[in-house]
Amino acid sequence: MLGNEVFSLNYFYKEDKNILNMIIVMFFSSNIAITDNFSKNNVRYGLHFMFSNNNNVINNVFETNGAGIALMFSKFMEVEHNVITKNWGTAAYGLLLKEVTDVNLKNNVFIENTVGITVEGSNRLVYSNNDFTSNGYAIRVKGACYENEIIKNNFLYNSFDISYNGKINDNKFDNNFWSNYTGYDLDKDGIGDVPYRPVKLFSYIVNRTPEAIILLRSLFIDLIDFSEKVSPVFTPDDLMDENPRMKRIDHDKN
């Protein structure tokens, strides 16, 4: 691919034949639109961009791949209206963002992935109007991520909404709905009166000792998460959503 292409395979599959489905790989490719495709059952990637700029990934489905989408060493990308689901396994994720800048992620749906989004070394990203539902991790930030905005998203019933390495936060979390939020709204404006801290101490522990995940639903975990919320020691004390929504956001999908 040299650029200025619209790549729409409209690939369909038959469940009973267990057909090996496509993988789309783009290296050093710019000004390309990946639209209206269905990528399923790939051992590794459903879609992989590397060293590629000014591309659009719109209205695709990535299901049961090792990784739905990988964007690496690229900039000026639009990722919109995609469904990324059931990418499940010990090293699986829905979307990998590594060393990317100036990417808009809008109106995507992440359902039942081990990790919805894994992000590392990526700056000036905008996550808006996305749904993260029943993932192990909704967003897993591995480090060196600055000037990003996470706004007006729904975080629904994930084991961990946000996993974060490090004590310094330079990212904005605002106006999201968090199903784990237990605050109140006395003035009835639809915004919680108490800020929400989405990073739990237990996620910090699991990142360093994965075997600890077996304690996920125990009372002990509730206690240590509560103590960290009251007095943050291991998690960033300024990483919070100052305006958490009280009700799930109905996104405009147009």
Side-chain angles (χ1 to χ4, degrees):
M1 287 290 179
L2 297 178
N4 299 311
E5 304 281 354
V6 176
F7 194 34
S8 181
L9 295 184
N10 298 310
Y11 192 92
F12 297 92
Y13 70 99
K14 294 182 179 179
E15 193 73 42
D16 57 340
K17 291 187 178 180
N18 195 29
I19 296 174
L20 179 64
N21 292 325
M22 66 171 183
I23 177 172
I24 307 172
V25 181
M26 300 286 179
F27 286 8
F28 300 100
S29 303
S30 299
N31 302 306
I32 293 171
I34 307 293
T35 63
D36 301 306
N37 298 289
F38 196 111
S39 180
K40 179 181 174 73
N41 288 342
N42 293 290
V43 175
R44 194 53 179 148
Y45 302 111
L47 169 63
H48 190 189
F49 273 107
M50 186 176 287
F51 303 108
S52 300
N53 305 321
N54 297 289
N55 297 307
N56 298 331
V57 182
I58 300 174
N59 200 38
N60 303 283
V61 177
F62 299 92
E63 181 177 328
T64 59
N65 301 291
I69 308 173
L71 304 182
M72 305 173 69
F73 308 102
S74 302
K75 58 186 178 181
F76 303 119
M77 307 281 282
E78 302 288 333
V79 181
E80 300 182 9
H81 297 281
N82 300 286
V83 176
I84 302 171
T85 182
K86 297 181 180 178
N87 301 286
W88 201 262
T90 55
Y93 40 77
L95 170 61
L96 168 66
L97 302 169
K98 182 173 176 61
E99 303 292 339
V100 299
T101 57
D102 299 294
V103 174
N104 288 321
L105 301 119
K106 181 179 180 181
N107 278 322
N108 301 290
V109 176
F110 298 84
I111 305 175
E112 295 182 0
N113 302 285
T114 301
V115 181
I117 298 178
T118 293
V119 55
E120 181 177 5
S122 298
N123 308 311
R124 298 191 302 277
L125 312 183
V126 179
Y127 310 73
S128 63
N129 299 290
N130 302 289
D131 290 340
F132 297 89
T133 306
S134 300
N135 301 282
Y137 295 84
I139 301 177
R140 192 172 191 178
V141 182
K142 289 194 169 183
C145 296
Y146 306 105
E147 299 181 45
N148 302 301
E149 296 184 8
I150 299 89
I151 54 176
K152 297 182 180 178
N153 302 284
N154 289 314
F155 291 87
L156 307 166
Y157 320 115
N158 304 288
S159 296
F160 303 107
D161 291 323
I162 306 292
S163 174
Y164 204 89
N165 280 343
K167 284 282 294 175
I168 299 174
N169 173 54
D170 188 38
N171 303 297
K172 177 182 178 182
F173 293 79
D174 193 47
N175 262 277
N176 301 285
F177 174 75
W178 311 88
S179 60
N180 291 324
Y181 179 64
T182 57
Y184 48 83
D185 179 19
L186 295 179
D187 57 6
K188 305 299 181 182
D189 65 351
I191 302 297
D193 297 337
V194 180
Y196 179 66
R197 297 183 182 276
V199 179
K200 307 301 183 185
L201 177 57
F202 187 52
S203 69
Y204 177 90
I205 294 171
V206 171
N207 282 338
R208 286 153 179 76
T209 309
E211 295 80 5
I213 193 66
I214 64 173
L215 300 173
L216 177 61
R217 304 301 178 190
S218 71
L219 177 60
F220 169 72
I221 299 308
D222 292 336
L223 291 173
I224 65 172
D225 281 341
F226 178 76
S227 65
E228 180 71 7
K229 180 170 67 173
V230 172
S231 181
V233 175
F234 297 100
T235 59
D237 57 3
D238 60 345
L239 196 162
M240 65 180 73
D241 189 333
E242 296 278 2
N243 300 288
R245 296 287 190 97
M246 296 300 296
K247 294 183 179 180
R248 178 174 176 171
I249 303 166
D250 291 328
H251 299 308
D252 180 3
K253 298 298 183 181
N254 296 323

